[in-house]
DNA sequence: CGCCTGACTGAGG
DNA sequence: CCCTCAGCCAGGC
């Protein structure tokens, strides 16, 4: 499962999200070359290796719903964990969501393609 | 093959 | 901003 090639593509894309920015499950899936598989993106983030991959961490907490909401139920342990990590990142979590206008990641396609090939 | 379950989405009301 | 619903797709049984 954690050696699923599709998972690895998704994790690599997530590693490109800069600190202080957030992306949606669907956006990550698209960039990983897996359009229409937002749910898969969410699922595999639950299997992120604790020590990251290629020696780098996988910032799973920077991935949210397209609406800006965290995917976990408000108040759950997972929710609180993600919220604090986002705050550490300098991202303000208002209620159950984050402002996409303010923190949304708008990557340069050329850059993404280059980085993913390396 | 059917049926159900998700860290999902977009459109509607 | 809330909720509902149809679509979505991978997995498990």
């Amino acid at each position: 499962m954690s050696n699923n090639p599709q998972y690895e593509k998704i994790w690599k894309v997530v590693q490109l999200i800069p600190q202080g920015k957030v992306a949606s499950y669907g956006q990550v899936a698209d960039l990983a070359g897996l359009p229409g598989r937002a749910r898969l993106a969410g699922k595999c983030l639950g299997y992120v290796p604790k020590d990251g991959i290629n020696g780098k961490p996988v910032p799973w907490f920077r991935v949210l719903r397209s609406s800006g909401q965290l995917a976990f139920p408000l108040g759950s342990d997972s929710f609180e964990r993600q919220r604090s990590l986002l705050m550490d990142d300098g991202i303000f979590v208002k209620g159950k969501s984050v402002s996409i206008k303010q923190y949304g990641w708008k990557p340069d396609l050329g850059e993404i393609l280059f980085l993913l090939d390396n």
Side-chain angles (χ1 to χ4, degrees):
Chain A
M1 67 159 72
S2 57
N3 42 2
N4 181 319
Q6 299 193 316
Y7 287 7
E8 227 178 282
K9 288 185 184 176
I10 291 169
W11 292 337
K12 285 186 179 179
V13 169
V14 173
Q15 289 184 313
L16 303 179
I17 306 172
Q19 179 184 46
K21 293 292 177 186
V22 297
S24 73
Y25 295 99
Q27 184 183 5
V28 167
D30 285 350
L31 292 172
L34 302 167
R37 270 162 278 184
R39 305 187 90 134
L40 177 67
K43 180 168 205 186
C44 84
L45 287 185
Y47 301 137
V48 165
K50 180 179 167 299
D51 301 310
I53 57 174
N54 302 324
K56 298 179 198 168
V58 178
W60 59 270
F61 57 89
R62 302 210 263 243
V63 187
L64 314 171
R65 288 189 178 158
S66 61
S67 62
Q69 290 196 185
L70 307 221
F72 301 107
L74 181 58
S76 64
D77 288 352
S78 297
F79 180 96
E80 292 305 331
R81 198 175 324 129
Q82 183 170 19
R83 187 180 67 85
S84 72
L85 285 168
L86 286 170
M87 296 297 265
D88 289 347
D89 233 29
I91 297 169
F92 179 52
V93 180
K94 179 182 183 183
K96 58 175 84 167
S97 54
V98 155
S99 166
I100 295 300
K101 276 288 267 186
Q102 198 173 158
Y103 305 107
W105 179 42
K106 302 172 202 67
D108 173 76
L109 274 321
E111 178 192 357
I112 294 297
L113 294 176
F114 172 76
L115 291 173
L116 287 179
D117 279 337
N118 288 292

